[in-house]
Structures are given as structure tokens and as C-alpha cells.
Amino acid sequence: MSQKAINNGMSDLLKHNPELTEINVDFLGIGTLDAKLKSSQLSLNVTGQESVESMYYCTFESGTVHFTITEHDFEVNDWTMAWTCKFDTEKIDPTSKEFKEVSNQINQPGDFSISSLFFAFETDHIVNFNSFNEAVLSGEEKSYLGLILGRAFAPEDGEWEDRQKRTLAYALHTAKPETVNEEAPSFPPTSLKLQTYPYIAPNQTEPSEGLEDGENNMLLYLQMTKNRPFPAVRLLEYSGNYVSPGINGTIIIDRDIFWDSYLFRSSPSQLLSLFNVYTYAWVGSASIPDILAEQWTIASGIHSNDPSFYAWKQSASNPLTWTWAPSNGEQSYHEQHKTDGGWNNLDIDCTTSNTLSAVPGDNNIDARGTTDIKIVCQSVGTTYPFNWEYDYTIHVQITWQTKITISATDGGLKLSLNLPADLTKAFQVKADQLKFKGDTVGNDHLDGVKARNQGLQDNLVQQFRDVSFGDVEKSLEKDLNTTARFVIPGNASLSYEKPVFNNNGDLMIEANYIV
């Protein structure tokens, strides 16, 4: 989340908790402060940090400070002060009211813990009296003001001592990811890491800091899934901007999670690999018991119970392209049956070539494929007076194309397959005109041979039309948005929109705090 987004949340915090704006302090022997807080903001430190440390700025709207020792009074209107603060986490007591409230908001079943991400004041390090609105304070009075502010923001019974009111976010993590909503692939985080991260503007080589210049600097919530360890590096090094002046926050879902573990998963049910299941064709059977009696069938549909058989393969040249083009012995048949009276050559080839692709900066996945079936036969009789020859070619081609559009909605991602009203149009089965040539001396059965092969071609076309690929896609779309829905972390606190792929194939989704 960008510094700007965090400060928008800080502003909402004051609106929803007006008691935080009332500052009333009486420090015996030092002075008093009676003021109203105008704004509360954070400035993220992103250069040379050794911890997640930043600056807290507060600006007073109105009020008065009185110094007992110097007997001076000052109006604090528009005074701005800053001191260091740090980000920290604390595991919430599972028996507490807070845990129950957050659990109800997250609405996530399973065995997990919840941590609060909050900012903690370091009130003994007031380092910047940014503006006193032309008032002149002595060095001694500045020290006294620091003590008074310390009492204002960190008393044991003060409003700002309530960690809940300084919580920027809650994080769920689990040691048992299998218990957290098994049916919905929310990929629960098993560990959490925090760090600040710089924004480097175009044509610049270094980041800027401050309330205005650093508003696009970021606070990263790094979450690892499946009990995997974090990389050995302490901090994630700069590799590009995750926000921009028009985007306050981004959740980035690693390509391994979104593609490999989700869309290409093999359990509890297959998703995009179903395209491969229902477009695969192979030689079901083939034989030549007689030179006038070749026999063959083409098989289609579910072929293997091994999900890896249908696994998409990453393109070597493009990280946003996957293919499935199997090359198995069962997809072809090439035999010759030869006798003293002639021969029969039978050649069958089945190919399936499917592709998935996406474009950086877009939210669509293009899915398409072609299944091609070709049967070529030549039968020749050489014994007089029953000389004959017949040749035929049967060619059937299945083509399909689907555009999968990804959008973000309450509760998770929505994947639409943009199906046509006529589902038969999602899966086109076409056949070339039967190529048949016959030549005979003393054999009057070739018309029957032609009719038989025309029937075989017609049956093959109908066989693939009966696959009901459109119904398969409709069922897949339903699963992607119900039992197999991708649940985005933080939906109770963040609103998501405009998902796009980056150059690496990671899914980036714009995020904003819910007001």
C-alpha cells in the first residue's frame, strides 16, 4: 500500500474516532496542552533503513500550550510536529473480543491466527518541529513540548495507547493451510513479513521521502504460502514500482500461485486443463484384416486418470504463453497389409494443439486450440479379373476459442468465459468433402465402399459435436466462480479492482482501503 493510501486511512481513523482528535495533557511542573488534532500522517523511510521505521506527523487545528516554568502560552493553531515511529505486529489473543470481531469480518473458516499490523510511537525521539506558525520557542520549551506530547500520545490510559486504533491492517496466517477453506483456493499465508519499499519516479534514479514527495513510497505485506520459507535476503530489493500516482495500492499474486497452483491445478478438481481433456483425439482402434476391409475408430473425451497427462507446458520464449500439443504413439497408425492379390495402406494421424496466452497490462486470457484428424487409405486388387483400386481421404477439424476475462468483485476474483448464447459456436467441427477415387475391373461394389466411408466421416463429425464442449465450458465457468473461486486476502478491509498481468505473468490488482 502506498504512503498516500495509508494516510487516507489515517484520515478516516480520525473521522471515525473523534476522541483521538482531543488532546488534553497536564504534565505537573512542565505544562499543559489543550488542543484539537487536525491531521495524523505517516512518512515512510525507504532509504538505508535497518528496520521498518518511519516518521509520524501531527498537525493541530487549534488549542493552547502553557509552559509552567517559563510561564509562556502559545496558540498551537496549525503547528506540525514529527517524531519517529515503527511498524510492528502483535498476535491477537484468540479469546479476545478483538479476535472475534476481526474473524467475523474476515469470515474465513479454518485453523489460523490473526496479527495486528500497527504503528508504535517512539515518543522520546521528537526530531522535527516542522512548523510553529511563526511562534518562537526556546530550545528549552521545545524539550518541554516533547515531554508533553509524549504524555499526550503514549499514556497507559490514553486514547492513542489503544493499539486497535493504531492498527493499519490485520493479517491472517496459518500453520495448517489445508484447514483454511479447502474448497476455495484462497492460498492462506503461512508467514508474514513487513518492509517499506521505495517508489522511483520516471527519469529518476533515487526515491524521495516526505509527506508529499514520498506519497508513492510503499509498505509491503509479504506473505508466503504453503509453509515455504522466505528468501534469505532481509529486504526485498527494488525491482520496479508497485504503485503509481493514480494507484494507491496493489496486491500481487505470484504467477506460481495464480497459474500453476490455481488455474492449472489437478485437485480437488481440474480447471483450465479441462480444455485439453475434451479436445484430445487418438486412434481408438485400427486394423487391416483384409485388403478390402480396413477398420478404424477415433476416440475422444477422457483418456487418462493421470492429471499430469493434460498439463499445460510453459513456452520457452514467452512467460505468458502455455501450450499443450501431445505427441503420443496412440495418435497415429501407419500400416500396410500386403497379399499376393494386392495391398491396403492405412494412415491415420490425430493432432491436438491448444494454447493459452495473456498480454502484459491486460486482464484477459486467450484460450484456443485445434484438433485435426486425417485418415488416408488406399486399397488395390491386382488379381485379374477382380482388379480394383480405391483411395479415400477423410479430414475432420475441430477448432475452439475462448476469451477468459478476469475481474475483481467482493469476495474474490470473477472469471468470465464470455460464452456465446449458442454454446455450439464455442466448438466448431468441420469436415472437408470426402475425397474418394475408385477404379475397377470386374468389381461393382465401389459405390458401397464410398457410401460406407461417407458414413464413417459423418459419424466422426457427429461424435465430436456430441462432446458438448460448450456445456463443459459453462460448467467450468460456474466452478471458477463458486466452489473453485479464488479468494483474495484482505477483502474485508480492502477493495480490489482492475486486475492485470505484468510482464512476468504475476496478477496485479489495484487495492484501496474500504472507507
Side-chain angles (χ1 to χ4, degrees):
M1 298 299 293
S2 69
Q3 176 181 297
K4 181 180 179 181
I6 293 172
N7 285 332
N8 288 342
M10 297 280 282
S11 177
D12 291 331
L13 178 70
L14 296 185
K15 291 178 183 178
H16 295 305
N17 298 278
E19 68 277 8
L20 294 177
T21 66
E22 302 297 329
I23 307 296
N24 297 287
V25 180
D26 186 353
F27 198 144
L28 184 62
I30 300 297
T32 61
L33 175 63
D34 185 2
K36 185 172 183 178
L37 199 59
K38 182 179 182 179
S39 66
S40 178
Q41 297 174 290
L42 293 174
S43 174
L44 303 178
N45 291 354
V46 296
T47 58
Q49 76 273 35
E50 289 300 322
S51 61
V52 187
E53 187 176 272
S54 293
M55 296 292 295
Y56 171 79
Y57 286 81
C58 70
T59 298
F60 293 119
E61 179 179 309
S62 59
T64 302
V65 62
H66 168 73
F67 296 111
T68 302
I69 297 177
T70 62
E71 296 185 353
H72 284 169
D73 292 335
F74 296 93
E75 290 187 356
V76 298
N77 302 11
D78 295 319
W79 282 20
T80 299
M81 287 134 292
W83 60 93
T84 57
C85 67
K86 64 179 180 178
F87 296 107
D88 206 349
T89 59
E90 180 178 315
K91 186 175 290 188
I92 308 302
D93 181 353
T95 64
S96 67
K97 178 182 177 182
E98 180 182 8
F99 187 93
K100 183 177 180 180
E101 290 174 347
V102 177
S103 295
N104 289 338
Q105 190 174 11
I106 294 175
N107 192 28
Q108 180 78 39
D111 185 358
F112 57 83
S113 62
I114 298 174
S115 293
S116 161
L117 166 63
F118 62 96
F119 62 94
F121 293 115
E122 297 180 344
T123 51
D124 57 336
H125 290 86
I126 297 178
V127 297
N128 187 350
F129 296 93
N130 187 274
S131 170
F132 291 115
N133 200 17
E134 299 183 355
V136 179
L137 276 67
S138 66
E140 184 180 30
E141 286 171 334
K142 291 180 181 179
S143 297
Y144 295 152
L145 180 58
L147 293 173
I148 294 171
L149 288 171
R151 284 289 181 90
F153 284 91
E156 293 184 357
D157 58 351
E159 294 292 346
W160 282 93
E161 180 62 16
D162 186 347
R163 176 193 43 73
Q164 270 191 267
K165 294 177 180 178
R166 289 181 284 115
T167 294
L168 299 173
Y170 288 97
L172 175 155
H173 49 282
T174 178
K176 300 177 180 179
E178 69 278 2
T179 69
V180 181
N181 206 357
E182 181 180 358
E183 289 300 313
S186 50
F187 298 95
T190 51
S191 54
L192 174 69
K193 191 175 182 179
L194 305 171
Q195 75 165 81
T196 56
Y197 184 88
Y199 170 84
I200 299 180
N203 302 319
Q204 301 294 316
T205 58
E206 297 294 333
S208 299
E209 292 182 336
L211 290 178
E212 294 184 4
D213 293 342
E215 68 176 8
N216 291 314
N217 290 326
M218 293 152 264
L219 179 65
L220 299 188
Y221 308 69
L222 304 175
Q223 297 181 332
M224 194 68 77
T225 64
K226 298 183 178 178
N227 290 308
R228 290 177 295 189
F230 279 105
V233 294
R234 188 181 62 82
L235 294 177
L236 182 66
E237 297 181 358
Y238 179 82
S239 59
N241 294 326
Y242 297 136
V243 303
S244 67
I247 299 178
N248 289 330
T250 305
I251 181 170
I252 302 172
I253 303 173
D254 183 80
R255 60 171 291 132
D256 291 344
I257 290 178
F258 187 72
W259 292 98
D260 297 340
S261 297
Y262 176 49
L263 294 180
F264 299 159
R265 74 184 196 182
S266 58
S267 64
S269 61
Q270 297 181 79
L271 296 178
L272 296 196
S273 59
L274 287 176
F275 292 141
N276 301 331
V277 173
Y278 287 95
T279 57
Y280 183 55
W282 68 98
V283 181
S285 63
S287 63
I288 313 174
D290 186 89
I291 60 175
L292 270 172
E294 74 281 352
Q295 299 174 356
W296 54 264
T297 62
I298 304 298
S300 61
I302 299 175
H303 169 269
S304 173
N305 293 322
D306 181 4
S308 65
F309 181 85
Y310 303 104
W312 290 95
K313 294 177 176 57
Q314 172 72 58
S315 167
S317 59
N318 188 339
L320 280 171
T321 298
W322 292 262
T323 61
W324 191 68
S327 180
N328 302 315
E330 64 194 13
Q331 292 174 269
S332 62
Y333 179 87
H334 301 282
E335 292 293 338
Q336 181 186 67
H337 180 64
K338 193 170 185 179
T339 69
D340 293 339
W343 68 84
N344 186 305
N345 291 333
L346 180 60
D347 295 293
I348 305 175
D349 289 288
C350 303
T351 61
T352 301
S353 179
N354 296 337
T355 303
L356 290 175
S357 62
V359 177
D362 195 19
N363 64 326
N364 293 305
I365 301 171
D366 182 66
R368 65 179 65 203
T370 300
T371 298
D372 197 88
I373 303 163
K374 192 171 186 179
I375 301 102
V376 179
C377 181
Q378 181 189 53
S379 175
V380 177
T382 59
T383 302
Y384 181 82
F386 300 107
N387 300 74
W388 77 85
E389 177 180 349
Y390 66 80
D391 303 82
Y392 65 85
T393 299
I394 293 174
H395 182 214
V396 175
Q397 190 174 76
I398 301 96
T399 57
W400 63 278
Q401 182 175 359
T402 296
K403 183 175 75 172
I404 305 171
T405 301
I406 305 171
S407 58
T409 61
D410 291 342
L413 295 177
K414 179 181 178 181
L415 281 78
S416 172
L417 272 62
N418 301 291
L419 298 173
D422 182 359
L423 293 180
T424 61
K425 294 182 178 180
F427 192 71
Q428 297 290 318
V429 184
K430 296 180 179 179
D432 294 341
Q433 184 175 357
L434 175 70
K435 294 181 180 180
F436 185 85
K437 182 180 70 173
D439 187 17
T440 180
V441 176
N443 189 323
D444 58 357
H445 297 296
L446 291 189
D447 287 342
V449 173
K450 180 179 180 181
R452 176 173 66 86
N453 285 290
Q454 181 65 61
L456 288 172
Q457 176 171 289
D458 294 343
N459 290 339
L460 186 59
V461 170
Q462 191 59 46
Q463 173 185 334
F464 278 91
R465 287 178 177 167
D466 289 342
V467 168
S468 300
F469 187 74
D471 292 330
V472 173
E473 288 195 306
K474 188 174 182 179
S475 178
L476 172 61
E477 183 178 60
K478 179 181 178 182
D479 289 345
L480 286 168
N481 295 297
T482 53
T483 58
R485 189 176 194 182
F486 194 108
V487 180
I488 310 174
N491 253 288
S493 304
L494 299 169
S495 64
Y496 294 108
E497 60 179 343
K498 302 175 184 175
V500 296
F501 294 107
N502 65 11
N503 292 333
N504 187 52
D506 309 312
L507 186 64
M508 304 178 66
I509 311 171
E510 185 176 336
N512 286 286
Y513 283 114
I514 296 175
V515 178

